[in-house]
Amino acid sequence: MKLNEKDKKRKQKLKDKIVKTKKEQVAVVAQEIKFARLLSGNENKVRERVIKTLKKWLQNCFHRGYEFKEDDFTRVWKGIFYAMWMSDKPLVQEDLAENIAGILDHFPPEHLHHAMLMTKAGFKVLATEWFGIDQHRIDKFLMLARRYLRGSIRCLQRCEWSVDSCKKYAEMLTDADGLLSMKTPHYARNAISLILHFIDCFLEELAKVSKGKVPEDSMVELLRPFCEYTAQGEVPALTEASQRLLMALLRQSKEGIMYAEATRAWKQMGCPKGGPDALELVVEDESMNNEDSDDDEDTGALDPRAGGVSVWLRTLAVPGAALAGLLRALLARTRVAAQGRVRVCMRKFEKYARGQYPLKMSARDTDVPKLSPRLPTARAVAKLQKVERMSVAASDDLALRGLSRKHRKRLLAKSRAGISIVDDVQNLKGDNNTDKHNNKKRKADSTQKAAKKMKLNATKPGPSPSDEQRAAERGGGEAAAPSRPSPPDRKQNNDIEKTKKLKLKQKAKTKILTSVQNNINATPHKQTDKQKPLKLIKLDKVKNNNNKNKIKQLLTVDNKTVKTQTPVSKNHNVEAKPTVLVNKVKKFNKTNDSIHSPKKVKFVLKNNCMQKPVDYYKSVRQSPSIPFDSSKTPARTNLKPSTPSPINPFFKKKLRLK
C-alpha cells in the first residue's frame, strides 16, 4: 500500500509540472505577442519603454529557468523589425539599433544557446522581410544588421572566446536554415545583399569587439563557415565575397599593412625600379612616441562620425598553417570548378605560414613598361576585319535607303551572300534620276499646252448677225441685238483684278458676272426697225437668309422677264448664245456655305461677374489682413448676389408685416 501511495504522489507531481509548463507557455506566448504589438506602435517613447521591459522580462525568465525556443524569439523580432521601420531621424534610428543589439547583452554566458537562437531568429526575420524594404529605409536596416552582428560577437567575448562558444556560433551560421548554409535557405533567396553585407562587416566588427585578442584556435572556428562556403557554396557572389574575406585577413596583418604603406610611398616616388621591396623602412623615435600617444588617445569609438572621429581597428591573428590545413581537407570534397579557387587560397596561407607575404606585386607589375612598336597579331587582324565588315554593312544599308521595297529586298539578299551591290545601286539610282527628268519634261509640256488652249479660247470670233436674228425670230421676233458692241469698262477690269485676292466665294461670283456680260456684248453691229434693243438689269445682291444663297439674274424685254440657259459648244465654228447659269451657282454656293460657315454657339460667361478681376484684386490689396485671417472676407464679392425670392403674402402674420 505504501508503494502505491508513493507512485500516486510521483504521478501527481508530474501532472502538476506538466500543467504548470503549459500554463507558462501560454503566458509567455501571450506576453511575446503583446511585446510585438507594442513595439510596432507609432510613438517612440512607447517603443523605448517596451524594449526596457523586454530586457527585464528576459532576465526574469532566465532566472526562473524557462526554456525558450526559436519561435518565441521570432515573435518578438517581428515587433522589433516594425519598431525599426517606424523610427525616423538618424540619431533616433542609431539609438534604437544600439538598444536592439543591447538585448543580447542581457543573455548570461550559461544561456549562450538562447543567445544563438535569438541572433538566428533576428537574421531570419531580416532576411524574410528584406525584399520588402524600400530604398529610403535600406540604410537604417543595414546599420541594424551591423550593430546586431556586433552584439552577437559580444556574447562570444563574455565567454572569453572559448572554442566551444565559437563552434556554436559557426554551427548557427552553417545549419540547414542558417545564413551561410551550403544551400541558401528558402527565406534568404531574396536577401543575398544582406548576406554580402554580413560577410563584409564580419572582420571589422570582430576586430572592434576583440581588439585583436582572439586566440588562433577560436579564430579558425570562426572562419570555418567562410572557408567551407568558398569550397562548396552555390551562389557565385557569396563564394567570391567569402574568398575576399580570407584575402582581407591577410591584408590586415602587420606584414600586409607594412607592404601597403611601402606601395603607397613607391607610387608617390614615381614607381622606381625594384618595386616596393627595394624601399627601406626608417623608424624614428618620434614616430614611436606618436604611436604611443595615439594609443592613449583611443577613446573606443566603434563607428565613424562627423567631426574627425576615427575608428581604430586592431590587427587580428592570422593562423596561416591551420587555415591551410582546413582548406586542404576541404579540397577533396569540392567540385572541380571550385578546386582552383581553393588551391589559390591554400597556397597563399601556406606561404604566409613560412614567413612570406603572399600578396606582393609581381616583377612584371613593378617594372616600368617600355614603349616598343608591336607587330599586329592575328587577334588584331581579326578585329580589323570585323570592323571593315561592319562598315561595309553600314554603307550598304545607307545606300539602300532611297530605293523601293522591291529592289531593297533583292539587293539585301545579295549583300548578305557576300556579293557587292555598288554597281546595282548606282544603276538603279541613275534610272530613278532619268525618270524624274522625264516627269519634269512632261509637266512642262502639259503646262505649255494648257496655256495655248487658253489663248485660243480668248481669241474666238463673235457670233454672226444672221444667227442672232434667227434666234430672236424663234423667240417671238421681239428681241433684237444692239447696233454696236459696248466697249469693256475700266472699272470692271479693276474689280476683276481686286477679286483675285479675295476668298473663293467672291471669285465665283465675279466669274459668273463677267461671263454673262461678255456673251451679251458680243451682238451684231446693225439694228432693224422691228427689233428692239435688249436691256441688261444689274444682278441682285446676294442675301444670306438661314445660310441659303439665292441668286437671280434676269433679262428684261419690254418689261417681261425671260430666263435663258446656253448649251456649251465644243466646236469653235458654232456660235455661242447668251446664257445665265442660275442652278449651278446655287449648288456651288450651298457647298461653300456648308464648308466655310458652320454653326457656332457662344457661351458668354463674362456677364456672370459683379465686378472685374482687376477691381477684386484691388480690394484684396487694400485690405492686407484678409489672406491671413480666415474669418474676414472682402467687402464686395466677385460674383453677383443671388436675388431673394418674393415673400409669400400668406405669411404676413408670422413675419409681422403690416
Side-chain angles (χ1 to χ4, degrees), residues 129 208 214 249 251 323 403 479 498 513 632 642:
E129 301 290 339
K208 288 176 185 177
V214 184
L249 181 67
R251 287 193 184 91
L323 289 173
L403 301 177
K498 289 179 182 178
L513 288 169
K632 291 186 179 181
S642 60

Side-chain angles (χ1 to χ4, degrees), residues 33 59 98 140 147 169 311 323 362 367 442 532 543 554 627 635:
I33 292 168
Q59 287 178 352
E98 282 292 336
K140 62 181 178 182
R147 300 294 173 90
Y169 193 84
V311 179
L323 289 173
S362 61
D367 293 336
R442 287 171 190 167
K532 294 180 181 179
K543 296 180 181 180
L554 304 175

Side-chain angles (χ1 to χ4, degrees), residues 417-430:
I419 302 166
S420 65
I421 58 170
V422 177
D423 297 333
D424 296 336
V425 171
Q426 288 178 356
N427 293 330
L428 288 170
K429 285 188 176 180

Side-chain angles (χ1 to χ4, degrees), residues 340-506:
R341 182 169 60 243
V342 176
R343 281 198 185 93
V344 168
C345 295
M346 183 183 67
R347 287 168 186 168
K348 286 181 179 178
F349 280 111
E350 286 176 351
K351 195 173 182 180
Y352 184 82
R354 285 190 235 110
Q356 298 176 0
Y357 183 65
L359 299 178
K360 288 183 179 181
M361 297 172 69
S362 61
R364 288 181 185 175
D365 297 333
T366 55
D367 293 336
V368 179
K370 295 179 181 179
L371 297 173
S372 59
R374 295 179 65 188
L375 295 173
T377 58
R379 191 177 293 175
V381 171
K383 283 184 180 179
L384 184 61
Q385 289 176 354
K386 188 177 180 181
V387 170
E388 287 179 352
R389 286 175 200 155
M390 293 289 286
S391 62
V392 168
S395 63
D396 291 343
D397 292 337
L398 289 170
L400 293 172
R401 279 185 184 176
L403 301 177
S404 64
R405 193 174 182 182
K406 181 180 178 182
H407 296 304
R408 207 183 300 154
K409 281 185 178 179
R410 183 170 58 80
L411 293 173
L412 275 171
K414 276 188 176 183
S415 66
R416 285 169 185 167
I419 302 166
S420 65
I421 58 170
V422 177
D423 297 333
D424 296 336
V425 171
Q426 288 178 356
N427 293 330
L428 288 170
K429 285 188 176 180
D431 295 339
N432 289 331
N433 292 328
T434 54
D435 291 339
K436 288 179 181 178
H437 186 64
N438 293 330
N439 289 329
K440 286 181 181 179
K441 282 186 177 180
R442 287 171 190 167
K443 286 180 181 179
D445 295 337
S446 63
T447 52
Q448 289 177 1
K449 287 179 181 179
K452 287 180 181 179
K453 285 181 181 180
M454 293 291 287
K455 288 179 182 179
L456 289 170
N457 291 327
T459 58
K460 278 183 182 179
S464 63
S466 60
D467 294 334
E468 289 292 334
Q469 289 174 4
R470 288 171 188 171
E473 287 174 359
R474 288 174 187 173
E478 294 178 358
S483 61
R484 291 180 183 179
S486 61
D489 298 332
R490 292 180 182 177
K491 292 181 180 179
Q492 290 181 355
N493 293 328
N494 292 328
D495 293 336
I496 291 165
E497 289 177 359
K498 289 179 182 178
T499 52
K500 289 180 182 179
K501 299 178 183 179
L502 298 174
K503 297 180 181 178
L504 293 171
K505 291 181 182 180
Q506 295 177 358

Side-chain angles (χ1 to χ4, degrees), residues 124-263:
K124 202 170 184 179
V125 170
L126 283 173
T128 51
E129 301 290 339
W130 196 258
F131 187 72
I133 300 170
D134 55 359
Q135 61 178 349
H136 305 291
R137 293 183 173 91
I138 195 68
D139 292 332
K140 62 181 178 182
F141 280 102
L142 288 170
M143 179 181 65
L144 176 62
R146 181 185 279 270
R147 300 294 173 90
Y148 201 65
L149 172 62
R150 189 186 301 166
S152 65
I153 294 170
R154 282 201 296 266
C155 295
L156 301 177
Q157 187 184 19
R158 286 194 298 275
C159 295
E160 297 179 354
W161 308 104
S162 63
V163 179
D164 294 334
S165 62
C166 294
K167 279 184 180 179
K168 287 180 181 179
Y169 193 84
E171 287 173 1
M172 180 267 296
L173 292 174
T174 57
D175 280 340
D177 56 347
L179 277 180
L180 293 175
S181 61
M182 298 303 107
K183 292 183 179 179
T184 306
H186 182 72
Y187 67 86
R189 287 180 182 175
N190 294 322
I192 302 298
S193 58
L194 174 64
I195 303 170
L196 288 170
H197 185 64
F198 179 86
I199 294 169
D200 292 339
C201 298
F202 186 78
L203 282 180
E204 290 182 10
E205 300 303 321
L206 185 63
K208 288 176 185 177
V209 175
S210 65
K211 296 182 180 179
K213 295 178 182 179
V214 184
E216 291 188 356
D217 296 336
S218 56
M219 194 72 187
V220 171
E221 294 298 330
L222 289 173
L223 294 173
R224 186 184 291 275
F226 304 102
C227 294
E228 289 178 355
Y229 206 91
T230 52
Q232 299 172 359
E234 289 185 349
V235 183
L238 297 179
T239 54
E240 290 176 3
S242 56
Q243 186 182 4
R244 233 183 292 129
L245 182 138
L246 296 174
M247 296 300 106
L249 181 67
L250 292 171
R251 287 193 184 91
Q252 62 88 39
S253 62
K254 292 180 180 179
E255 294 85 356
I257 292 168
M258 295 292 288
Y259 191 79
E261 291 178 357
T263 51

Side-chain angles (χ1 to χ4, degrees), residues 27-44:
V28 167
V29 170
Q31 189 64 36
E32 288 165 0
I33 292 168
K34 189 177 180 181
F35 281 137
R37 183 168 54 80
L38 292 171
L39 283 167
S40 59
N42 293 328
E43 295 182 3
N44 187 24

